[in-house]
Amino acid sequence: MNILVIGTGGREHALCYKLAQSASVNKLYCTEGNAGIEKIAELVPLQPLDLEGLANFAESNQIDITVVGPEAPLCMGISDVFKKRGLTIFGPDKISAQLEGSKDFAKAFMKKYCIPTANWDTAYSFEQAAALVENYSFPVVIKADGLCAGKGVFICESKEAALGTLDSIFIKKIFGDEGKKVILEEFLQGIEASQLCVVSKNNIFPLETARDYKKIGENDTGLNTGGVGCISPNPAVTNEVQKKISEILQKISAGLTAEKMNYTGILFIGFMIQEKDIRVLEFNVRFGDPETQVLMLRLKSDLGQILRKAIDGNLTQNDLEWSNKKAMAIVCTSKGYPEKYQTGFPISGLDSLPDSIIVFHSGTKKIQEKIITSGGRVLCISCIDSDFNLCRKTLLENIKKINFTGMKYRKDIGII
Ligand code: AMP
Ligand code: GLY
């Protein structure tokens, strides 16, 4: 098969890494890519939102499957565009992608199909939202309804902070139309778990679990990021939790069918686990980053075959074979991330790492044979071993060999 991967980050590098190992994959392309991806896939200079350009490329290069990394093209309807032109794509259509593209849509779906989630209200104006805030204790969670590049969720510790956030969204319109509606939500405590699933015609096949570390600082302090560390499996997912997750997955699958969606692609469910209380925090309609990096290290099966079978509707849970080992990823970030940061710094030390370390490139570029930083998340240093302590030891020993100006990383991944 010829495969086109859309996207440029660590997640796409991990997908390409696994697809490049697949006996079923002949030619592998990736749009834009980065300095890591270019070693294993042919880079295509097309933007993820150039839907017709991507379809033209897929058509003229006999692409058998296009795999979509980021959410924005899915929410814009890339699957609908491809399908209309008779092209095969792995990712849900525009209507189903609303599960990520609109928090209000996702919440209404959860309510209709009795999927446990945090209590919430939807507000359409500053005045309405400000009145609703009175009903919540603090912290309260405020979320802009639409896609905000991962920046639309605010945990507000006081009424003043909540009103300030509402002012930014409704009055200053920092997210434009994506902030026309706002979700006010009860704050949940607990441990988060990422459950990615392959969905084939509304049938859900869970992958192994993962835990994403979202805070920039050690001991889970500081600002929320896209994810700066990850482990798989997630230790909070006990057998009992797994059973409850399975029940929720069945409800989601039934809901997709009842809504007459025809979902094929990835559904990534963010759960909050507090002892026996398990609730859905969010849906994403794509692979996670850095969840994909750890999952691809543990996946034993041929990813190309999994995608093919999911699209054809003959995937079974047995097609997903996993290593029993633990996987860990630590992300090296640019100084300042997730706020303003500088790029363009040369990266050294990548050639001095042992084979046991897999480096997924997130924000890197190759310029005149030099690899330089080009994003907030720069490198995702990963490995697999018999336990998390060994993984962390290996990663921390080797990460020291890598350097770029302002490089930062967390040393407590898998401890807390
Ligand atoms: P979301 O995009 O809805 O998953 O939110 C991003 C992150 O914000 C989540 O992964 C959590 O870390 C945090 N978050 C979202 N909703 C809540 C909530 N109701 N209670 C506590 N934390 C939350
Ligand atoms: N790591 C969380 C995400 O990909 O949304």
Side-chain angles (χ1 to χ4, degrees):
M1 291 188 286
N2 296 333
I3 307 234
L4 168 65
V5 175
I6 297 177
T8 61
R11 161 182 58 200
E12 289 77 13
H13 190 181
L15 292 172
C16 287
Y17 162 86
K18 199 65 201 163
L19 288 165
Q21 294 170 5
S22 300
S24 60
V25 176
N26 178 26
K27 187 92 191 137
L28 184 59
Y29 299 92
C30 184
T31 66
E32 298 194 283
N34 59 41
I37 298 176
E38 72 171 57
K39 289 189 193 158
I40 49 176
E42 185 174 326
L43 301 192
V44 180
L46 286 170
Q47 298 287 325
L49 295 185
D50 179 6
L51 308 189
E52 292 295 342
L54 290 162
N56 291 340
F57 179 88
E59 202 168 71
S60 47
N61 291 277
Q62 288 90 43
I63 298 296
D64 296 289
I65 302 176
T66 296
V67 186
V68 190
E71 62 276 11
L74 292 166
C75 292
M76 267 182 76
I78 190 169
S79 293
D80 310 69
V81 169
F82 270 54
K83 282 177 196 155
K84 217 182 256 170
R85 291 179 55 170
L87 298 163
T88 304
I89 189 159
F90 182 74
D93 60 18
K94 189 172 179 174
I95 290 178
S96 315
Q98 288 300 293
L99 286 170
E100 178 166 2
S102 165
K103 302 226 181 250
D104 186 39
F105 181 95
K107 283 291 201 181
F109 179 89
M110 289 188 245
K111 183 175 180 188
K112 193 164 172 188
Y113 296 101
C114 303
I115 293 159
T117 184
N119 295 322
W120 88 101
D121 285 291
T122 303
Y124 299 84
S125 68
F126 177 85
E127 290 72 23
Q128 188 193 6
L132 284 165
V133 164
E134 301 291 337
N135 304 335
Y136 284 82
S137 50
F138 296 95
V140 60
V141 185
I142 295 182
K143 303 181 178 183
D145 178 60
L147 285 186
C148 305
K151 296 189 163 59
V153 176
F154 300 85
I155 294 169
C156 304
E157 300 288 341
S158 64
K159 185 170 162 186
E160 292 65 41
L163 294 179
T165 297
L166 293 171
D167 181 75
S168 303
I169 301 177
F170 279 120
I171 313 291
K172 298 198 180 79
K173 297 189 193 315
I174 55 170
F175 300 122
D177 278 355
E178 302 296 317
K180 267 165 86 176
K181 281 190 251 181
V182 156
I183 306 291
L184 297 147
E185 200 172 278
E186 162 200 18
F187 178 78
L188 297 178
Q189 251 154 352
I191 294 181
E192 289 182 51
S194 302
Q195 176 69 73
L196 278 71
C197 307
V198 174
V199 188
S200 166
K201 301 180 194 281
N202 297 344
N203 294 309
I204 299 186
F205 301 90
L207 309 187
E208 285 286 298
T209 57
R211 176 164 178 195
D212 179 21
Y213 290 79
K214 286 205 163 69
K215 300 279 187 192
I216 188 70
E218 311 239 319
N219 293 315
D220 268 346
T221 52
L223 295 174
N224 253 343
T225 68
V228 290
C230 204
I231 56 173
S232 174
N234 186 323
V237 183
T238 58
N239 287 342
E240 197 179 351
V241 170
Q242 191 71 69
K243 230 177 110 203
K244 289 196 175 169
I245 289 181
S246 299
E247 286 164 17
I248 294 173
L249 299 186
Q250 278 171 21
K251 288 186 191 175
I252 296 172
S253 175
L256 296 176
T257 301
E259 291 300 305
K260 297 195 168 48
M261 292 181 190
N262 184 10
Y263 198 117
T264 293
I266 292 291
L267 181 65
F268 161 0
I269 305 146
F271 285 102
M272 185 68 93
I273 302 170
Q274 196 187 30
E275 291 174 20
K276 289 182 182 164
D277 185 27
I278 294 155
R279 297 202 245 171
V280 174
L281 277 184
E282 64 163 344
F283 292 128
N284 295 306
V285 297
R286 42 138 185 107
F287 287 95
D289 188 339
E291 285 87 343
T292 306
Q293 289 86 315
V294 286
L295 290 172
M296 290 305 115
L297 288 188
R298 293 190 59 214
L299 181 65
K300 293 210 284 195
S301 330
D302 180 319
L303 179 60
Q305 285 294 350
I306 292 172
L307 301 177
R308 181 78 264 163
K309 288 187 174 185
I311 288 163
D312 294 343
N314 52 23
L315 186 71
T316 66
Q317 195 68 45
N318 289 340
D319 290 318
L320 298 163
E321 269 195 83
W322 299 94
S323 158
N324 285 329
K325 289 189 173 171
K326 321 280 186 214
M328 183 178 288
I330 300 180
V331 180
C332 301
T333 56
S334 298
K335 185 177 168 198
Y337 173 80
E339 297 186 294
K340 258 177 93 173
Y341 55 84
Q342 286 185 317
T343 58
F345 298 112
I347 304 170
S348 63
L350 291 175
D351 293 334
S352 58
L353 301 173
D355 290 345
S356 55
I357 303 278
I358 311 293
V359 178
F360 294 115
H361 289 235
S362 303
T364 68
K365 245 193 219 162
K366 196 166 174 187
I367 293 187
Q368 290 163 356
E369 295 312 306
K370 269 203 182 135
I371 298 180
I372 60 164
T373 65
S374 68
R377 292 192 288 183
V378 177
L379 298 166
C380 183
I381 315 297
S382 319
C383 75
I384 184 163
D385 213 324
S386 52
D387 78 51
F388 287 130
N389 288 333
L390 285 174
C391 288
R392 189 174 44 260
K393 188 166 172 278
T394 311
L395 291 178
L396 293 179
E397 260 168 31
N398 283 286
I399 228 166
K400 288 189 203 133
K401 300 175 187 164
I402 304 171
N403 191 41
F404 58 84
T405 303
M407 177 172 123
K408 257 190 88 168
Y409 57 91
R410 277 180 64 169
K411 300 182 188 68
D412 61 348
I413 303 305
I415 297 180
I416 60 161

